[in-house]
C-alpha cells in the first residue's frame, strides 16, 4: 500500500500549519507523501512563507481555484490506481468511538493502523474505490462496524483508489462530497465508510477555504443540482439549526445500482 495524502487549501496558509499539518506531524506522517494544493502562484508564495520552517514545506503544488476544480485537478494529478487520502486543511484531530465506552469519543493513537490501513482494506474487501468516515461527531450514533452501500463520505476526510473516469469528476462546489459519494455508488455499486471514526473541524465557520465563496444560495444550488440529477438517490431538506439546504441519501432505484461480484484484478484496473 503506497500512501499519498492530498490537502487542497485556499487562503489558509496559517490555518493549515496550525491544524492539519500539526495533526499529521503529531502522528509522524512522512512529509514525502503529503502534497498541498494551492489555487495560484500568489497563494504559493504565501504558503511557502508560512511553511518555511515546517516539515511539510516541500510539496506544494499550484492547482486551480474552486472546490470542484481542485478536486478534479487532484484526481488528474495522481496516477490511475494510486491510494490517496484527502484531508481538509483545518482538521483539529481524528476521533474514534471509544473501545471502552461507546458513549464517548477519544483521539486515535495511530493514524496508519486506525485510518490509512483500514480505509485501504475496506475498499479492497468491498471492491469499491471510495472510503470515508462518520460525518457527525457524536459517539452515540457512531458504530464499531464499517458500512458499505450508499453512504455520505464527508469531504474533510476521505480516501480513494484513483480513477480518472469522467463520471467521477465532480460538477459542483457546494456539496461536491455528496456528488462524489453518489458517483462512486453509481459506478461501483457501493462506497465504504468507517463509522467508528470522525473528525473535528470548524465546518462553515473557519475563515478562508470554501467560506470565501459559500452562501446560502450556493449551498441550495448544490443541493438542487443533486436532487435533479440523481432523483432516485437523494432528497433535499433544510436543517432547522442552520437553515442550510441539506441532502439525504437513500437508494430508491429498486436495485438499479446493484453490482455483481468483482475481482481484485478488476478493482485495481
Amino acid at each position: 500500500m503506497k500512501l499519498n495524502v492530498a490537502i487542497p487549501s485556499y487562503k489558509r496558509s496559517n490555518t493549515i500549519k496550525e491544524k492539519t499539518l500539526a495533526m499529521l506531524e503529531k502522528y509522524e506522517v512522512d512529509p514525502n507523501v503529503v502534497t498541498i494544493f494551492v489555487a495560484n502562484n500568489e497563494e504559493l508564495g504565501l504558503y511557502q512563507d508560512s511553511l518555511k520552517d515546517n516539515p511539510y514545506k516541500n510539496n506544494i503544488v499550484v492547482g486551480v481555484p474552486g472546490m470542484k476544480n481542485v478536486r478534479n485537478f487532484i484526481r488528474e494529478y495522481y496516477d490511475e490506481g494510486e491510494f490517496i487520502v484527502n484531508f481538509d486543511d483545518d482538521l483539529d484531530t481524528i476521533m474514534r468511538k471509544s473501545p471502552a465506552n461507546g458513549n464517548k469519543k477519544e483521539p486515535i493513537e495511530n493514524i496508519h493502523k486506525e485510518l490509512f490501513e483500514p480505509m485501504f482494506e475496506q475498499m479492497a474487501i468491498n471492491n469499491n474505490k471510495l472510503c470515508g468516515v462518520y460525518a457527525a461527531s457524536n459517539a452515540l450514533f457512531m458504530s464499531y462496524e464499517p458500512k458499505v452501500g450508499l453512504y455520505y463520505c464527508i469531504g474533510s476526510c476521505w480516501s480513494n483508489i484513483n480513477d480518472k473516469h469522467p463520471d467521477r469528476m465532480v460538477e459542483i462546489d457546494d456539496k461536491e462530497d455528496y456528488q462524489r459519494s453518489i458517483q462512486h455508488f453509481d459506478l461501483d455499486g457501493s462506497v465504504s465508510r468507517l463509522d467508528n471514526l470522525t473528525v473535528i473541524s470548524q465546518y462553515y465557520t473557519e475563515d478562508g477555504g470554501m467560506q470565501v465563496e459559500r452562501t446560502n444560495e450556493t449551498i441550495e444550488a448544490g443541493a438542487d443540482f443533486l436532487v435533479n440529477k440523481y432523483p432516485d438517490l437523494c432528497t433535499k431538506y433544510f436543517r432547522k439549526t442552520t437553515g442550510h439546504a441539506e441532502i439525504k441519501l437513500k437508494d430508491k432505484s429498486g436495485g438499479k445500482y446493484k453490482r455483481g461480484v468483482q475481482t481484485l484484478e478488476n478493482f485495481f484496473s
Side-chain angles (χ1 to χ4, degrees):
M1 181 192 80
K2 178 181 179 293
L3 172 67
N4 300 281
V5 175
I7 311 171
S9 188
Y10 182 56
K11 295 188 181 296
R12 286 180 174 171
S13 56
N14 287 317
T15 296
I16 192 173
K17 176 174 62 177
E18 296 167 356
K19 297 201 170 184
T20 300
L21 296 183
M23 179 189 75
L24 295 179
E25 186 174 7
K26 179 180 73 172
Y27 288 120
E28 300 180 341
V29 176
D30 182 359
N32 292 316
V33 306
V34 178
T35 303
I36 301 163
F37 295 86
V38 299
N40 51 50
N41 286 320
E42 180 182 358
E43 288 283 294
L44 174 64
L46 294 173
Y47 279 73
Q48 288 175 329
D49 183 62
S50 178
L51 301 179
K52 60 187 176 184
D53 298 318
N54 191 281
Y56 298 97
K57 64 184 177 182
N58 291 327
N59 294 330
I60 308 175
V61 171
V62 175
V64 288
M67 179 57 77
K68 72 174 185 289
N69 295 333
V70 74
R71 292 298 194 195
N72 295 335
F73 180 92
I74 291 170
R75 196 176 282 275
E76 292 286 1
Y77 178 83
Y78 291 100
D79 291 337
E80 289 276 351
E82 288 201 79
F83 172 54
I84 310 164
V85 177
N86 302 265
F87 287 130
D88 274 2
D89 56 10
D90 60 346
L91 299 188
D92 291 309
T93 188
I94 300 169
M95 305 290 284
R96 68 187 180 191
K97 187 178 177 75
S98 171
N101 184 344
N103 295 327
K104 294 183 177 181
K105 306 187 305 294
E106 61 188 25
I108 62 172
E109 297 177 359
N110 187 314
I111 198 170
H112 290 277
K113 293 188 179 298
E114 296 186 67
L115 180 69
F116 298 156
E117 292 175 13
M119 280 181 152
F120 184 84
E121 290 167 0
Q122 284 300 307
M123 289 187 289
I125 290 169
N126 298 319
N127 294 310
N128 55 41
K129 296 182 178 180
L130 179 67
C131 185
V133 298
Y134 195 70
S137 182
N138 188 327
L140 293 176
F141 298 107
M142 296 166 71
S143 171
Y144 296 116
E145 297 299 320
K147 296 292 192 296
V148 58
L150 176 59
Y151 291 98
Y152 170 48
C153 294
I154 194 166
S156 54
C157 175
W158 56 282
S159 68
N160 64 302
I161 301 298
N162 200 36
D163 182 346
K164 302 181 184 184
H165 191 292
D167 289 344
R168 295 192 200 268
M169 301 296 179
V170 292
E171 303 166 274
I172 49 178
D173 290 317
D174 274 299
K175 305 200 179 300
E176 47 81 30
D177 47 2
Y178 277 97
Q179 184 177 26
R180 180 168 48 254
S181 302
I182 293 171
Q183 289 171 319
H184 278 257
F185 177 76
D186 180 8
L187 290 171
D188 300 335
S190 68
V191 304
S192 302
R193 198 174 72 185
L194 301 175
D195 274 15
N196 66 316
L197 301 179
T198 190
V199 294
I200 304 298
S201 178
Q202 303 300 315
Y203 301 119
Y204 291 104
T205 60
E206 192 80 38
D207 289 340
M210 278 291 291
Q211 308 314 318
V212 175
E213 307 290 341
R214 176 178 280 141
T215 65
N216 284 337
E217 289 73 25
T218 63
I219 294 170
E220 187 166 4
D224 288 340
F225 175 90
L226 293 173
V227 296
N228 288 327
K229 185 161 186 173
Y230 310 103
D232 54 352
L233 295 177
C234 63
T235 55
K236 183 179 80 170
Y237 70 98
F238 290 91
R239 191 179 297 276
K240 292 181 180 179
T241 55
T242 64
H244 292 151
E246 300 289 357
I247 290 293
K248 181 177 182 179
L249 300 182
K250 185 176 181 180
D251 183 3
K252 299 171 287 185
S253 70
K256 172 182 174 182
Y257 299 92
K258 186 176 181 180
R259 298 290 183 269
V261 175
Q262 302 179 42
T263 67
L264 286 179
E265 182 180 356
N266 290 334
F267 171 71
F268 287 108
S269 64

